[in-house]
């Protein structure tokens, strides 16, 4: 689709793209079209039943396209397209491309969110109840999604306490009898299937009861706990009675959160929105099994003349492309234009029929009205906060782009090295997207090839490993026809930030040049008081206004990279200390060492424990307890070593 000429000296010209000629070549088939600006950045992605008819409409002067489309068309330098076999395939591809490239002129979600599930691992002989952010096609059963991760974790803890289910990661029955029972067995919260003390059939009865609880049948549990509390009180076992009372209150709180909204027991999402100028909020009510389990709202970037139907359609495609759960029904405030194909796409994604409905009367209509009212309240309440937050994040990113003269800095990676006189050198990689930390993409590196305190060589190793891994992952994803967002290292940053000046920047540039990667590299320079003073970019130190949002963002990134490296280094030092001290004690191997740390939490607590407390600890006997006690209290050498290690931990890491 592009014609290329060459200069006499052999260098290529800028590709020539004749829009009028290319419009004539468009096929009358379904597909996706991609608009590029003069910098070759993707500015819009759309789908069409007929590429020929749809794309040509953008360039017809007689059509009233609205100010947003008019502005976009003026910026189009070239377009490309991908032909598909059906409109449904085009919709799926459109969703994937919008998610990967986040084009400027598409209606965009401002925040990507993921929701937690409660997962029951029914594929295991002794199932567990777990927290999960993803919903996979496995033999497990999932409940949710829920809007509060804290509430999910509280519910899981409650279920494990009531039904005495295991929370370990052992593979049973393979690992039965390989280790001693853990602390939960000793305190009566697990029947120790790891020791074969309960059959899978009896254990499964407890799991089935837990599933009934998750399905909303709380009455049997409340009745059981009430009787146990009263019985314990009659026996004057007040501590046990208080324990049952607390469990009873927890179950009541969970039961109260389940607000009945509709009696048909179906899974539904209720969607409505509020729009004001370029701001929009979509409110979603989550109804699962006829119960409203929560709600959430989403901010969108829209054009002032976008209709509610267009905004709602864009939201549905982006949101349900990324969420693992699709309900049986979506109740909408207004009809969307591509209703049929979106319904078909959601049906295929769910594996069962999905219906889009605009309620006109009754309870369902009132639910949609309530969602719309809530969306309006959120939009009015949060307008100023959103603008302030965008100033701290997106606004600060744009300031950095302008200061450095780079086209884009939406994804930034920052690196730092931490060590104490070369001991256990580690590297940290943190990621900021749109001015916010993306902690799921953080990575840690334990330095393998460098001996001693050589920060430059350590940084070279970290960057080489990171980008080699990324290139390999990109190749693998390309072969599978998958986007780079599917990998953990394949997404490269728009800007690389180094914790230091010229030296660290040159290290990064050398690594990128060796690997054939082109990414702008910037150094975060500090003054003699260890405070950020400027940016080193293209052999020049750029001063920053200390009152600007760009300065505050750079400072936050620098501090976060340093914190993450120090945190990792501290964890390695802690593990090394536990190994070096406890393993010096005769009769204390890995199992007892782990049991001691699990019981007492720290070396100091082990040192201060009495002989009786050590003897009663899991995995310990009288002889091993005596050895530990003598180590710390005999000649005092063990206690002295703890003091030495503490002094080392408080040493400031070398830069």
């Amino acid at each position: 689709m592009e014609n290329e000429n060459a200069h006499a000296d052999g260098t290529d010209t800028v590709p020539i793209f004749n829009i009028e000629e290319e419009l004539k070549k468009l096929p009358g088939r379904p597909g996706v079209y991609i608009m590029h600006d003069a910098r070759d950045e993707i500015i819009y992605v759309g789908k069409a039943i007929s590429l020929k008819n749809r794309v040509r409409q953008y360039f017809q002067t007689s059509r009233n396209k609205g100010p947003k489309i008019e502005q976009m068309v003026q910026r189009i330098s070239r377009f490309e397209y991908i032909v598909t076999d059906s409109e449904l395939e085009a919709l799926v591809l459109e969703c994937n491309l919008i998610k990967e490239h986040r084009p400027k002129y598409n209606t965009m979600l401002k925040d990507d969110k993921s929701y937690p599930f409660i997962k029951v691992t029914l594929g295991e002989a002794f199932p567990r109840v777990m927290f999960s952010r993803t919903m996979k096609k496995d033999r497990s059963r999932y409940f949710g999604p829920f809007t509060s991760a804290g509430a999910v974790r509280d519910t899981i803890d409650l279920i494990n306490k009531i039904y005495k289910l295991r929370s370990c990661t052992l593979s049973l029955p393979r690992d039965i009898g390989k280790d001693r029972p853990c602390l939960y067995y000793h305190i009566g919260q697990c029947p120790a299937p790891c020791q074969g003390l309960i059959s899978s059939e009896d254990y499964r009865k407890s799991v089935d009861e837990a599933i009934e609880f998750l399905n909303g049948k709380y009455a049997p549990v409340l009745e059981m706990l009430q009787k146990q509390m009263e019985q314990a009180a009659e026996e004057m076992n007040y501590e046990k009675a208080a324990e049952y009372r607390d469990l009873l209150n927890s179950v009541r709180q969970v039961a109260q959160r389940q607000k009945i909204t509709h009696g048909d027991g179906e899974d539904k999402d209720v969607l409505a929105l509020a729009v004001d100028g370029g701001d929009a909020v979509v409110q979603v009510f989550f109804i699962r099994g006829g119960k409203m389990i929560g709600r959430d709202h989403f901010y969108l970037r829209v054009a002032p003349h976008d209709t509610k139907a267009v905004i709602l359609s864009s939201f549905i495609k982006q949101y349900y492309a990324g969420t693992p759960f699709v309900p049986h029904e979506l109740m909408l405030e207004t009809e969307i234009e591509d209703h049929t194909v979106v319904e078909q796409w959601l049906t295929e994604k769910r594996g069962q029929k999905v219906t889009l409905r605009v309620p006109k009367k009754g309870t369902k209509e009132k639910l949609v009205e309530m969602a719309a009212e809530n969306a309006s309240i959120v939009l009015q309440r949060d307008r100023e906060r959103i603008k302030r937050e965008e100033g701290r994040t997106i606004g600060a990113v744009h300031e950095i782009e302008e200061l450095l003269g780079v086209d884009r800095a939406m994804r930034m990676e920052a690196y730092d090295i931490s060590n104490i006189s070369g001991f256990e050198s580690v590297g940290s990689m943190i990621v900021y997207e749109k001015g916010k930390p993306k902690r799921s993409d953080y990575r840690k590196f334990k330095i393998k090839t460098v001996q001693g305190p050589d920060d430059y060589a350590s940084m070279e190793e970290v960057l080489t490993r990171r980008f080699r891994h990324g290139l390999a992952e990109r190749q693998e994803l390309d072969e599978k026809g998958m986007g780079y967002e599917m990998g953990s290292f394949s997404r490269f940053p728009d800007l690389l930030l180094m914790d230091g000046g010229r030296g660290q920047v040159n290290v990064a540039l050398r690594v990128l040049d060796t690997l054939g990667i082109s990414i702008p590299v910037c150094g975060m320079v500090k003054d003699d008081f260890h405070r950020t003073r400027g940016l080193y970019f293209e052999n020049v130190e750029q001063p920053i206004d200390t009152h600007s949002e760009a300065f505050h963002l750079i400072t936050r990134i620098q501090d976060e990279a340093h914190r993450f490296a120090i945190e990792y280094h501290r964890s390695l030092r802690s593990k090394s200390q536990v190994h070096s001290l406890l393993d010096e004690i005769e009769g204390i191997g890995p199992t007892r060492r782990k049991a001691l740390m699990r019981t007492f939490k720290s070396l100091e607590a082990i040192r201060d424990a009495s002989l009786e407390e050590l003897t009663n600890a899991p995995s310990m006997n009288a002889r091993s307890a005596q050895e530990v006690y003598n180590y710390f209290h005999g000649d005092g050498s063990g206690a002295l070593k703890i003091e030495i290690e503490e002094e080392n931990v408080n040493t400031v890491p070398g830069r």
Side-chain angles (χ1 to χ4, degrees):
M1 292 169 61
E2 296 177 357
N3 300 315
E4 296 185 359
N5 296 330
H7 292 295
D9 61 2
T11 59
D12 291 336
T13 64
V14 175
I16 299 171
F17 189 90
N18 188 318
I19 290 180
E20 292 298 327
E21 289 298 317
E22 296 301 332
L23 288 173
K24 297 175 183 177
K25 301 175 186 177
L26 285 165
R29 294 181 55 187
V32 170
Y33 53 92
I34 305 164
M35 304 298 194
H36 295 255
D37 64 9
R39 297 183 297 185
D40 210 34
E41 186 173 328
I42 294 175
I43 59 174
Y44 189 78
V45 174
K47 69 168 179 62
I49 300 176
S50 169
L51 287 166
K52 181 178 182 179
N53 295 339
R54 185 73 182 98
V55 177
R56 292 176 70 173
Q57 289 176 0
Y58 287 99
F59 301 95
Q60 292 173 354
T61 54
S62 59
R63 295 187 67 89
N64 181 15
K65 296 183 279 289
K68 170 187 166 184
I69 300 300
E70 289 282 4
Q71 187 184 58
M72 182 194 76
V73 171
Q74 292 174 9
R75 293 173 178 261
I76 295 174
S77 177
R78 71 178 184 94
F79 62 81
E80 57 181 316
Y81 55 86
I82 302 171
V83 174
T84 61
D85 290 333
S86 67
E87 188 184 6
L88 177 61
E89 287 185 3
L91 185 145
V92 174
L93 180 58
E94 177 195 32
C95 290
N96 292 339
L97 291 174
I98 289 174
K99 184 177 180 180
E100 179 170 352
H101 297 290
R102 304 187 67 83
K104 179 177 181 179
Y105 288 96
N106 283 94
T107 297
M108 294 300 301
L109 271 170
K110 292 187 178 182
D111 292 297
D112 294 326
K113 302 181 182 180
S114 63
Y115 292 93
F117 293 81
I118 293 177
K119 175 181 179 180
V120 184
T121 59
L122 295 179
E124 297 179 328
F126 295 90
R128 294 167 290 160
V129 179
M130 302 170 59
F131 180 98
S132 177
R133 285 278 183 188
T134 58
M135 186 177 181
K136 300 178 181 177
K137 291 184 178 180
D138 52 17
R139 295 167 63 189
S140 300
R141 184 165 177 185
Y142 293 84
F143 295 85
F146 299 94
T147 55
S148 169
V152 169
R153 290 189 172 93
D154 290 344
T155 303
I156 291 172
D157 289 343
L158 176 63
I159 287 170
N160 286 337
K161 284 180 180 178
I162 293 173
Y163 299 105
K164 303 188 186 308
L165 302 180
R166 73 185 184 103
S167 58
C168 64
T169 58
L170 295 175
S171 178
L172 302 180
R174 186 194 68 190
D175 293 339
I176 287 179
K178 287 189 176 180
D179 204 348
R180 297 190 181 190
C182 68
L183 180 63
Y184 289 106
Y185 167 73
H186 291 285
I187 63 176
Q189 287 190 11
C190 179
C194 60
Q195 302 300 307
L197 300 182
I198 184 173
S199 67
S200 61
E201 292 78 12
D202 290 340
Y203 183 90
R204 187 58 182 260
K205 291 178 183 177
S206 297
V207 174
D208 291 340
E209 290 176 2
I211 290 174
E212 290 294 305
F213 179 88
L214 288 168
N215 280 325
K217 296 184 179 179
Y218 307 114
V221 181
L222 291 168
E223 185 179 346
M224 175 194 70
L225 291 174
Q226 183 74 29
K227 288 180 179 178
Q228 289 177 333
M229 180 183 70
E230 292 171 356
Q231 183 179 344
E234 287 177 7
E235 296 171 355
M236 292 189 291
N237 188 348
Y238 299 117
E239 187 175 338
K240 200 70 178 174
E243 184 181 325
Y244 287 129
R245 179 203 61 203
D246 293 342
L247 286 174
L248 196 60
N249 290 335
S250 297
V251 175
R252 284 172 178 157
Q253 286 178 3
V254 171
Q256 287 171 0
R257 282 202 297 264
Q258 305 299 322
K259 177 186 175 185
I260 296 292
T261 57
H262 204 264
D264 59 8
E266 292 284 359
D267 295 337
K268 310 176 192 295
D269 284 354
V270 182
L271 293 85
L273 71 157
V275 186
D276 189 352
D279 297 320
V281 169
V282 174
Q283 182 83 206
V284 184
F285 290 163
F286 303 105
I287 301 173
R288 300 294 179 261
K291 300 176 180 66
M292 182 170 165
I293 65 168
R295 65 173 186 172
D296 209 344
H297 53 266
F298 302 82
Y299 302 99
L300 293 96
R301 183 189 75 209
V302 301
H305 298 279
D306 280 349
T307 65
K308 283 192 171 184
V310 169
I311 296 169
L312 198 56
S313 176
S314 295
F315 171 80
I316 290 170
K317 294 172 191 174
Q318 291 178 63
Y319 176 69
Y320 290 102
T323 182
F325 181 82
V326 179
H328 168 74
E329 182 179 337
L330 268 61
M331 296 195 293
L332 309 180
E333 178 184 13
T334 185
E335 191 81 36
I336 60 174
E337 56 182 11
D338 41 5
H339 174 107
T340 303
V341 68
V342 170
E343 197 171 69
Q344 185 184 354
W345 168 60
L346 291 173
T347 296
E348 289 197 6
K349 198 170 188 299
R350 175 181 168 88
Q352 294 177 331
K353 175 66 176 175
V354 175
T355 304
L356 305 186
R357 182 172 285 118
V358 181
K360 300 297 184 184
K361 60 182 180 179
T363 306
K364 292 183 177 181
E365 184 188 24
K366 291 188 180 301
L367 270 174
V368 174
E369 289 176 355
M370 185 167 65
E373 183 181 0
N374 276 271
S376 180
I377 291 170
V378 170
L379 183 60
Q380 296 303 318
R381 181 192 68 199
D382 289 354
R383 180 186 302 277
E384 291 305 317
R385 183 188 62 79
I386 293 169
K387 289 181 178 178
R388 287 196 303 271
E389 178 65 17
E390 286 192 345
R392 293 180 68 251
T393 55
I394 299 292
V397 169
H398 289 324
E399 287 183 20
I400 292 172
E401 291 171 344
E402 186 176 348
L403 178 67
L404 300 179
V406 298
D407 293 336
R408 182 180 173 86
M410 287 299 170
R411 182 180 173 94
M412 295 183 279
E413 289 181 6
Y415 294 81
D416 193 16
I417 301 293
S418 178
N419 62 71
I420 296 180
S421 301
F423 171 73
E424 292 281 20
S425 291
V426 300
S428 70
M429 163 187 149
I430 68 162
V431 179
Y432 268 60
E433 280 197 354
K434 298 181 180 178
K436 296 180 181 179
K438 189 175 182 183
R439 293 185 173 85
S440 61
D441 285 5
Y442 284 18
R443 293 294 180 268
K444 304 170 183 175
F445 300 85
K446 189 173 181 180
I447 306 302
K448 299 177 179 179
T449 63
V450 181
Q451 300 296 324
D454 190 336
D455 281 6
Y456 289 161
S458 297
M459 184 62 74
E460 185 169 6
E461 179 190 324
V462 167
L463 293 172
T464 301
R465 285 164 56 189
R466 182 264 180 269
F467 285 106
R468 276 184 178 166
H469 195 147
L471 290 171
E473 202 171 69
R474 283 187 166 201
Q475 183 177 354
E476 183 180 345
L477 291 171
D478 284 339
E479 291 171 355
K480 294 179 179 178
M482 299 169 67
Y484 292 153
E485 77 279 358
M486 301 301 292
S488 59
F489 280 101
S490 54
R491 290 196 64 192
F492 287 177
D494 302 313
L495 180 66
L496 210 58
L497 296 170
M498 311 304 297
D499 187 45
R502 182 194 300 266
Q504 293 283 21
V505 169
N506 288 339
V507 168
L509 290 172
R510 184 167 64 247
V511 170
L512 294 175
D513 184 60
T514 301
L515 298 176
I517 301 171
S518 178
I519 298 173
V521 181
C522 180
M524 299 179 289
V525 185
K526 292 187 176 181
D527 60 21
D528 294 337
F529 300 98
H530 213 62
R531 295 175 303 199
T532 305
R533 77 173 187 221
L535 297 175
Y536 183 81
F537 185 66
E538 294 185 342
N539 295 318
V540 177
E541 184 176 322
Q542 302 273 5
I544 310 181
D545 179 3
T546 56
H547 300 290
S548 68
E549 293 294 351
F551 175 82
H552 295 312
L553 177 57
I554 290 294
T555 301
R556 289 197 298 273
I557 292 173
Q558 196 167 31
D559 291 344
E560 177 70 354
H562 192 55
R563 179 203 65 78
F564 192 54
I566 291 294
E567 184 180 89
Y568 180 39
H569 192 263
R570 185 177 292 123
S571 71
L572 292 180
R573 292 200 309 267
S574 177
K575 291 175 183 177
S576 176
Q577 291 156 23
V578 172
H579 177 84
S580 62
L581 293 185
L582 293 184
D583 280 9
E584 290 181 9
I585 307 173
E586 186 178 346
I588 302 300
T591 300
R592 283 179 175 151
R593 185 181 78 233
K594 189 186 298 182
L596 284 170
M597 290 304 298
R598 190 176 292 162
T599 303
F600 295 101
K601 308 302 182 187
S602 70
L603 285 171
E604 293 80 1
I606 296 172
R607 174 195 62 192
D608 297 336
S610 68
L611 181 58
E612 182 181 359
E613 289 172 327
L614 292 169
T615 305
N616 292 331
S619 301
M620 297 293 287
N621 55 33
R623 182 176 177 181
S624 59
Q626 188 68 57
E627 292 287 351
V628 173
Y629 188 83
N630 289 344
Y631 179 78
F632 288 111
H633 299 277
D635 59 5
S637 61
L640 178 61
K641 287 181 180 179
I642 288 183
E643 293 175 6
I644 294 172
E645 295 292 359
E646 286 176 342
E647 186 177 339
N648 288 338
V649 168
N650 292 325
T651 305
V652 178
R655 306 302 316 135

